[in-house]
Amino acid sequence: ATFDSFDACLDSGLEFDGVIVCTSHASHSKLGAQALQHGKHVLMEKPMTTDVNEAVSLRNAAQKSPSLFFAVNNTASWRTQAV
């Protein structure tokens, strides 16, 4: 399915477990918080957000739902010798 917005996706009733947030950095916090509020797991590309207060709010939102998976993926430092 395709949607015109993330809100439309979340409100559609489509069943899915989680989201991968790989949008512009400034939108990470809003999209991650929306997904958590709708009971979705979140894997987010780095950076978590561009604002410290947004990062704290997002962390707090994730802590309110300990059964949900929330992670920020950092692959910029990935090296084969680290495996």
Side-chain angles (χ1 to χ4, degrees), residues 1 5 8 12 14 18-19 23 26 28-29 31-32 37-38 40-41 44 46 56 65 67-70 72 76 80:
S5 69
S12 70
L14 180 70
V19 299
T23 57
H28 284 189
S29 178
L31 297 175
Q37 289 169 358
H38 280 82
K40 306 302 179 190
H41 302 287
M44 184 176 292
K46 70 169 189 76
V56 170
S65 300
S67 63
L68 294 177
F69 177 78
F70 174 81
V72 178
T80 55

mmCIF file of all heavy atoms in Angstrom, residues 1 5 8 12 14 18-19 23 26 28-29 31-32 37-38 40-41 44 46 56 65 67-70 72 76 80:
data_model
loop_
_atom_site.group_PDB
_atom_site.id
_atom_site.type_symbol
_atom_site.label_atom_id
_atom_site.label_comp_id
_atom_site.label_asym_id
_atom_site.label_seq_id
_atom_site.Cartn_x
_atom_site.Cartn_y
_atom_site.Cartn_z
ATOM 1 N N ALA A 1 0.839 -1.184 0.000
ATOM 2 C CA ALA A 1 0.000 0.000 0.000
ATOM 3 C C ALA A 1 0.878 1.239 0.000
ATOM 4 O O ALA A 1 1.985 1.232 0.531
ATOM 5 C CB ALA A 1 -0.892 0.000 1.230
ATOM 6 N N SER A 5 0.861 10.383 3.286
ATOM 7 C CA SER A 5 1.556 10.885 4.471
ATOM 8 C C SER A 5 1.728 9.761 5.483
ATOM 9 O O SER A 5 1.049 8.734 5.403
ATOM 10 C CB SER A 5 0.770 12.035 5.109
ATOM 11 O OG SER A 5 -0.430 11.544 5.681
ATOM 12 N N ALA A 8 -1.490 9.280 7.382
ATOM 13 C CA ALA A 8 -2.467 8.458 6.661
ATOM 14 C C ALA A 8 -2.141 6.977 6.813
ATOM 15 O O ALA A 8 -3.046 6.149 6.974
ATOM 16 C CB ALA A 8 -2.497 8.847 5.190
ATOM 17 N N SER A 12 -4.591 4.257 8.801
ATOM 18 C CA SER A 12 -5.252 3.440 7.778
ATOM 19 C C SER A 12 -5.818 2.122 8.294
ATOM 20 O O SER A 12 -6.654 1.514 7.639
ATOM 21 C CB SER A 12 -4.260 3.118 6.658
ATOM 22 O OG SER A 12 -3.271 2.208 7.132
ATOM 23 N N LEU A 14 -3.930 -0.449 8.511
ATOM 24 C CA LEU A 14 -3.000 -1.448 7.982
ATOM 25 C C LEU A 14 -2.216 -2.047 9.140
ATOM 26 O O LEU A 14 -1.709 -1.322 10.000
ATOM 27 C CB LEU A 14 -2.041 -0.798 6.984
ATOM 28 C CG LEU A 14 -1.001 -1.714 6.342
ATOM 29 C CD1 LEU A 14 -1.683 -2.690 5.382
ATOM 30 C CD2 LEU A 14 0.041 -0.888 5.606
ATOM 31 N N GLY A 18 6.357 -2.379 12.684
ATOM 32 C CA GLY A 18 7.277 -1.287 12.962
ATOM 33 C C GLY A 18 7.644 -0.502 11.732
ATOM 34 O O GLY A 18 7.176 -0.795 10.624
ATOM 35 N N VAL A 19 8.477 0.505 11.962
ATOM 36 C CA VAL A 19 8.911 1.384 10.889
ATOM 37 C C VAL A 19 10.423 1.562 10.929
ATOM 38 O O VAL A 19 11.047 1.416 11.983
ATOM 39 C CB VAL A 19 8.228 2.770 10.969
ATOM 40 C CG1 VAL A 19 6.727 2.655 10.841
ATOM 41 C CG2 VAL A 19 8.599 3.509 12.239
ATOM 42 N N THR A 23 14.436 9.287 6.873
ATOM 43 C CA THR A 23 14.011 10.509 6.208
ATOM 44 C C THR A 23 15.009 11.612 6.519
ATOM 45 O O THR A 23 16.070 11.355 7.096
ATOM 46 C CB THR A 23 12.610 10.901 6.708
ATOM 47 O OG1 THR A 23 12.657 11.036 8.127
ATOM 48 C CG2 THR A 23 11.578 9.852 6.333
ATOM 49 N N ALA A 26 15.762 16.259 10.323
ATOM 50 C CA ALA A 26 14.866 17.097 11.112
ATOM 51 C C ALA A 26 13.505 16.443 11.341
ATOM 52 O O ALA A 26 12.785 16.837 12.253
ATOM 53 C CB ALA A 26 14.684 18.455 10.443
ATOM 54 N N HIS A 28 13.080 13.082 11.943
ATOM 55 C CA HIS A 28 13.216 11.837 12.695
ATOM 56 C C HIS A 28 12.413 11.826 13.987
ATOM 57 O O HIS A 28 11.700 10.864 14.278
ATOM 58 C CB HIS A 28 14.690 11.562 13.019
ATOM 59 C CG HIS A 28 15.469 11.069 11.855
ATOM 60 N ND1 HIS A 28 16.754 10.603 11.990
ATOM 61 C CD2 HIS A 28 15.169 10.962 10.545
ATOM 62 C CE1 HIS A 28 17.217 10.228 10.802
ATOM 63 N NE2 HIS A 28 16.258 10.453 9.913
ATOM 64 N N SER A 29 12.537 12.875 14.785
ATOM 65 C CA SER A 29 11.892 12.898 16.091
ATOM 66 C C SER A 29 10.377 12.789 15.970
ATOM 67 O O SER A 29 9.750 11.982 16.655
ATOM 68 C CB SER A 29 12.271 14.182 16.837
ATOM 69 O OG SER A 29 11.630 14.235 18.077
ATOM 70 N N LEU A 31 8.481 11.656 13.466
ATOM 71 C CA LEU A 31 8.031 10.378 12.922
ATOM 72 C C LEU A 31 8.233 9.246 13.921
ATOM 73 O O LEU A 31 7.379 8.378 14.067
ATOM 74 C CB LEU A 31 8.751 10.083 11.610
ATOM 75 C CG LEU A 31 8.487 11.073 10.479
ATOM 76 C CD1 LEU A 31 9.351 10.742 9.270
ATOM 77 C CD2 LEU A 31 7.022 11.114 10.109
ATOM 78 N N GLY A 32 9.366 9.255 14.619
ATOM 79 C CA GLY A 32 9.618 8.220 15.618
ATOM 80 C C GLY A 32 8.612 8.280 16.751
ATOM 81 O O GLY A 32 8.089 7.250 17.188
ATOM 82 N N GLN A 37 3.789 6.179 19.548
ATOM 83 C CA GLN A 37 2.446 6.453 20.069
ATOM 84 C C GLN A 37 1.403 5.514 19.478
ATOM 85 O O GLN A 37 0.387 5.244 20.103
ATOM 86 C CB GLN A 37 2.049 7.901 19.784
ATOM 87 C CG GLN A 37 2.798 8.909 20.616
ATOM 88 C CD GLN A 37 2.581 10.338 20.142
ATOM 89 O OE1 GLN A 37 1.887 10.596 19.161
ATOM 90 N NE2 GLN A 37 3.191 11.272 20.828
ATOM 91 N N HIS A 38 1.682 5.009 18.276
ATOM 92 C CA HIS A 38 0.761 4.067 17.635
ATOM 93 C C HIS A 38 1.166 2.612 17.890
ATOM 94 O O HIS A 38 0.659 1.697 17.252
ATOM 95 C CB HIS A 38 0.692 4.345 16.128
ATOM 96 C CG HIS A 38 -0.210 5.486 15.780
ATOM 97 N ND1 HIS A 38 0.189 6.799 15.864
ATOM 98 C CD2 HIS A 38 -1.498 5.492 15.381
ATOM 99 C CE1 HIS A 38 -0.818 7.567 15.509
ATOM 100 N NE2 HIS A 38 -1.862 6.808 15.217
ATOM 101 N N LYS A 40 4.154 1.070 17.458
ATOM 102 C CA LYS A 40 5.031 0.472 16.447
ATOM 103 C C LYS A 40 6.476 0.453 16.932
ATOM 104 O O LYS A 40 6.944 1.379 17.604
ATOM 105 C CB LYS A 40 4.961 1.265 15.132
ATOM 106 C CG LYS A 40 3.556 1.453 14.583
ATOM 107 C CD LYS A 40 2.865 0.147 14.331
ATOM 108 C CE LYS A 40 1.453 0.355 13.798
ATOM 109 N NZ LYS A 40 0.687 -0.882 13.763
ATOM 110 N N HIS A 41 7.203 -0.593 16.568
ATOM 111 C CA HIS A 41 8.634 -0.652 16.808
ATOM 112 C C HIS A 41 9.305 0.360 15.880
ATOM 113 O O HIS A 41 8.805 0.630 14.781
ATOM 114 C CB HIS A 41 9.183 -2.045 16.511
ATOM 115 C CG HIS A 41 8.540 -3.125 17.319
ATOM 116 N ND1 HIS A 41 8.795 -3.299 18.665
ATOM 117 C CD2 HIS A 41 7.644 -4.081 16.967
ATOM 118 C CE1 HIS A 41 8.090 -4.326 19.105
ATOM 119 N NE2 HIS A 41 7.376 -4.819 18.103
ATOM 120 N N MET A 44 15.671 3.661 13.676
ATOM 121 C CA MET A 44 15.906 5.001 13.152
ATOM 122 C C MET A 44 17.346 5.142 12.676
ATOM 123 O O MET A 44 18.281 4.739 13.375
ATOM 124 C CB MET A 44 15.614 6.012 14.257
ATOM 125 C CG MET A 44 15.725 7.448 13.854
ATOM 126 S SD MET A 44 15.239 8.522 15.223
ATOM 127 C CE MET A 44 13.490 8.165 15.318
ATOM 128 N N LYS A 46 20.694 7.292 11.954
ATOM 129 C CA LYS A 46 21.284 8.395 12.704
ATOM 130 C C LYS A 46 21.222 9.671 11.875
ATOM 131 O O LYS A 46 21.175 9.588 10.653
ATOM 132 C CB LYS A 46 22.711 8.072 13.116
ATOM 133 C CG LYS A 46 23.694 8.053 11.937
ATOM 134 C CD LYS A 46 25.096 7.994 12.448
ATOM 135 C CE LYS A 46 26.070 8.204 11.340
ATOM 136 N NZ LYS A 46 26.239 9.531 10.853
ATOM 137 N N VAL A 56 15.635 13.990 23.964
ATOM 138 C CA VAL A 56 15.167 13.630 25.303
ATOM 139 C C VAL A 56 13.692 13.226 25.251
ATOM 140 O O VAL A 56 13.290 12.220 25.841
ATOM 141 C CB VAL A 56 15.402 14.790 26.298
ATOM 142 C CG1 VAL A 56 14.708 14.531 27.618
ATOM 143 C CG2 VAL A 56 16.892 15.011 26.507
ATOM 144 N N SER A 65 6.984 2.824 26.634
ATOM 145 C CA SER A 65 6.524 1.569 26.022
ATOM 146 C C SER A 65 7.673 0.573 25.988
ATOM 147 O O SER A 65 8.253 0.319 24.928
ATOM 148 C CB SER A 65 6.008 1.835 24.605
ATOM 149 O OG SER A 65 4.949 2.742 24.627
ATOM 150 N N SER A 67 7.841 -2.500 25.916
ATOM 151 C CA SER A 67 7.673 -3.691 25.079
ATOM 152 C C SER A 67 7.988 -3.399 23.611
ATOM 153 O O SER A 67 8.085 -4.320 22.805
ATOM 154 C CB SER A 67 6.254 -4.231 25.192
ATOM 155 O OG SER A 67 5.326 -3.277 24.708
ATOM 156 N N LEU A 68 8.160 -2.127 23.279
ATOM 157 C CA LEU A 68 8.489 -1.766 21.901
ATOM 158 C C LEU A 68 9.994 -1.647 21.737
ATOM 159 O O LEU A 68 10.707 -1.224 22.644
ATOM 160 C CB LEU A 68 7.831 -0.441 21.510
ATOM 161 C CG LEU A 68 6.313 -0.440 21.447
ATOM 162 C CD1 LEU A 68 5.802 0.955 21.110
ATOM 163 C CD2 LEU A 68 5.813 -1.455 20.437
ATOM 164 N N PHE A 69 10.473 -2.003 20.565
ATOM 165 C CA PHE A 69 11.893 -1.887 20.232
ATOM 166 C C PHE A 69 12.130 -0.511 19.640
ATOM 167 O O PHE A 69 11.441 -0.087 18.720
ATOM 168 C CB PHE A 69 12.272 -2.974 19.218
ATOM 169 C CG PHE A 69 13.688 -2.894 18.754
ATOM 170 C CD1 PHE A 69 14.712 -3.364 19.544
ATOM 171 C CD2 PHE A 69 13.992 -2.343 17.526
ATOM 172 C CE1 PHE A 69 16.029 -3.297 19.120
ATOM 173 C CE2 PHE A 69 15.301 -2.267 17.083
ATOM 174 C CZ PHE A 69 16.321 -2.746 17.884
ATOM 175 N N PHE A 70 13.112 0.203 20.184
ATOM 176 C CA PHE A 70 13.515 1.491 19.639
ATOM 177 C C PHE A 70 15.026 1.500 19.566
ATOM 178 O O PHE A 70 15.696 1.260 20.569
ATOM 179 C CB PHE A 70 13.028 2.649 20.509
ATOM 180 C CG PHE A 70 13.551 3.984 20.054
ATOM 181 C CD1 PHE A 70 12.941 4.645 19.002
ATOM 182 C CD2 PHE A 70 14.652 4.550 20.652
ATOM 183 C CE1 PHE A 70 13.430 5.870 18.559
ATOM 184 C CE2 PHE A 70 15.152 5.769 20.219
ATOM 185 C CZ PHE A 70 14.543 6.436 19.171
ATOM 186 N N VAL A 72 18.579 3.394 17.376
ATOM 187 C CA VAL A 72 19.146 4.288 16.380
ATOM 188 C C VAL A 72 20.298 3.533 15.737
ATOM 189 O O VAL A 72 21.235 3.108 16.418
ATOM 190 C CB VAL A 72 19.637 5.608 17.014
ATOM 191 C CG1 VAL A 72 20.260 6.497 15.953
ATOM 192 C CG2 VAL A 72 18.489 6.316 17.716
ATOM 193 N N ALA A 76 27.658 4.313 10.027
ATOM 194 C CA ALA A 76 28.684 5.154 9.414
ATOM 195 C C ALA A 76 30.086 4.671 9.766
ATOM 196 O O ALA A 76 31.027 4.870 9.010
ATOM 197 C CB ALA A 76 28.506 6.606 9.845
ATOM 198 N N THR A 80 34.787 -3.792 8.135
ATOM 199 C CA THR A 80 34.825 -5.245 8.087
ATOM 200 C C THR A 80 35.725 -5.801 9.180
ATOM 201 O O THR A 80 35.470 -6.888 9.692
ATOM 202 C CB THR A 80 35.308 -5.739 6.712
ATOM 203 O OG1 THR A 80 36.574 -5.135 6.417
ATOM 204 C CG2 THR A 80 34.314 -5.395 5.631
#
